[in-house]
Structures are given as structure tokens and as C-alpha cells.
Amino acid sequence: MASNPKFCGICDQRHITKSSSYWCSECNQALCIECKDFHTLSKASQNHSTIAISNYLALESSFSQVEGHCSVHDDKYVLFCQTHDCLLCLTCLEEHTKCEDVVRISKITKDVKTSESLLDTQKSLSDIILNLSKIQCHLEENICDIKKQKDSILLEIAQMREKINSHLDKIEHALKTELCNEVDNQCNNTMCKTLEDIKRKKIDIENVSSNE
């Protein structure tokens, strides 16, 4: 496997950095458009199957991160035994001659993106994303509405507080006015008259006392 499948492995060997467009599972190498054309014309690789690099990068990790060479025979993996769920090089194939479902790795990686189950999965994921987007939008609208309601309630509370304060101020003013009037009436009428009476009686008594 190339160090980075996003870049052409052949160009990388020539110390040239170029984005890859295809992947050859048999060569285990990423290819740019130009190198893919040479790859197709070469006798050694003209029968190799290639897939778009975007498809390769989207494959499950079991395909995209597999070891490229057989550790027992030091040869490239080119086959997959579905019976034993294992990768095979050409030498390994001798031990699986009775297995009827040995397929080329290139066929598996080529077909996986167009398989019905994967397409169904992608459709389901698209539906989930759409539903999540709707839920997200709905929640954001709810949050916005709640904040607006909060601001409206706070404004109503402030307005109510102003009304209550204004009403209390009026009550206070009325009570003070009533109290002052009552005190003034008491002082100016009843108490003042009583005080005058006491003064007159005091004078009369003093006069009587002085005549004796």
C-alpha cells in the first residue's frame, strides 16, 4: 500500500507529488490518470481491475487497511476465500482448491460500492441525516421561540413592577396627605380650642387669687 493513497504511488517514486484518481488492488497502489493509462497498456497489468480512488477510500477498513503481502509465501494477496474468510496469494490457493467461493480481491473491491446492501445502507444513512437535520432545525426554532418568550415575560414583569410601584406611590401619597390633614385638623380645631380654654381658665383663676 502506498504511504498515502490520495497521491499517485508511481509518481511518488519519481519524487513527484500528484493526486491519485484510481486504485489497483492487485498492484496495491494508487494511480493518477496518466499512470493509470500506462498501467492499462502494460502487459503485466493490462488485465488488472481498477476502481476510483474515492471508492477505495470509502471501503470498509477490512478492505482498505489489509496487509498487501502474504507473510507465509511473501507474495501478493490476489484472492479471497469466502468459505474460510481469509486472503490468499497464488501459493495459498493450492490449499483451497476444494473451496468453491474463491474470488479475486479486485472483484470484491470493485463491486462493494455498487452492492444492493451498501446502496440500501447509504440510502438509510441519507434518510437519517435528513431526519437529523429536520430535528436540528426544529430544536433550533424551539430554542429561539423559548428565548423570545423569556424576553417577553421579563418585559411583562418589568412593566407590572412599574405599575405596582406607581400604584404604591399613589397609595403612599394619599396616606401621607390624609395623615397630614387629620393631624392639622386635630391641632387646629379640637386641641387648639382646648388649649385656649385652659389659658382663659388659668387667667381667671390667677385674677381671683390676686383679688383675695
Side-chain angles (χ1 to χ4, degrees):
M1 182 183 295
S3 57
N4 189 340
K6 294 183 179 181
F7 299 100
C8 177
I10 295 177
C11 289
D12 183 62
Q13 294 176 7
R14 297 160 56 199
H15 305 290
I16 299 174
T17 300
K18 187 180 294 186
S19 297
S20 61
S21 299
Y22 298 92
W23 176 265
C24 177
S25 60
E26 296 186 56
C27 294
N28 206 33
Q29 193 170 50
L31 306 168
C32 64
I33 295 176
E34 291 80 5
C35 291
K36 191 259 185 182
D37 291 338
F38 288 114
H39 177 269
T40 303
L41 295 173
S42 174
K43 289 184 178 181
S45 57
Q46 62 182 357
N47 293 323
H48 290 185
S49 297
T50 58
I51 60 173
I53 194 66
S54 59
N55 289 357
Y56 169 75
L57 295 174
L59 296 177
E60 298 178 356
S61 59
S62 59
F63 290 110
S64 61
Q65 298 179 0
V66 69
E67 184 64 33
H69 283 71
C70 174
S71 59
V72 178
H73 306 110
D74 193 25
D75 198 0
K76 291 187 298 183
Y77 286 130
V78 293
L79 303 168
F80 180 75
C81 178
Q82 299 180 74
T83 301
H84 297 95
D85 193 26
C86 64
L87 294 167
L88 308 174
C89 67
L90 293 177
T91 306
C92 292
L93 181 59
E94 297 176 0
E95 301 174 5
H96 293 261
T97 55
K98 294 183 179 180
C99 298
E100 298 180 355
D101 52 359
V102 175
V103 295
R104 295 176 67 88
I105 294 176
S106 58
K107 184 180 186 303
I108 298 176
T109 56
K110 182 178 181 180
D111 294 343
V112 68
K113 282 295 286 185
T114 57
S115 66
E116 184 177 351
S117 60
L118 184 58
L119 292 176
D120 290 342
T121 300
Q122 289 177 331
K123 177 63 168 57
S124 298
L125 290 176
S126 298
D127 292 341
I128 291 173
I129 292 174
L130 178 61
N131 290 332
L132 289 176
S133 297
K134 290 181 179 179
I135 293 173
Q136 177 184 354
C137 183
H138 184 65
L139 289 175
E140 289 174 349
E141 290 178 353
N142 285 345
I143 291 174
C144 184
D145 290 341
I146 290 173
K147 289 182 178 179
K148 289 181 179 179
Q149 291 177 13
K150 180 198 71 174
D151 293 339
S152 177
I153 292 173
L154 289 176
L155 180 60
E156 290 180 5
I157 292 174
Q159 292 174 344
M160 182 63 68
R161 177 62 182 270
E162 290 180 0
K163 291 180 180 179
I164 293 173
N165 287 342
S166 177
H167 184 65
L168 290 176
D169 289 341
K170 291 179 180 179
I171 293 175
E172 180 184 8
H173 178 72
L175 289 174
K176 286 181 177 179
T177 301
E178 183 179 355
L179 176 63
C180 291
N181 291 335
E182 183 68 24
V183 171
D184 290 343
N185 288 334
Q186 289 292 332
C187 292
N188 293 331
N189 296 323
T190 306
M191 294 182 69
C192 287
K193 290 180 180 180
T194 302
L195 181 60
E196 290 297 326
D197 291 341
I198 291 174
K199 287 181 179 180
R200 283 195 299 271
K201 288 182 179 181
K202 180 180 178 182
I203 292 173
D204 291 341
I205 293 172
E206 287 177 346
N207 292 332
V208 172
S209 177
S210 61
N211 291 333
E212 292 180 354

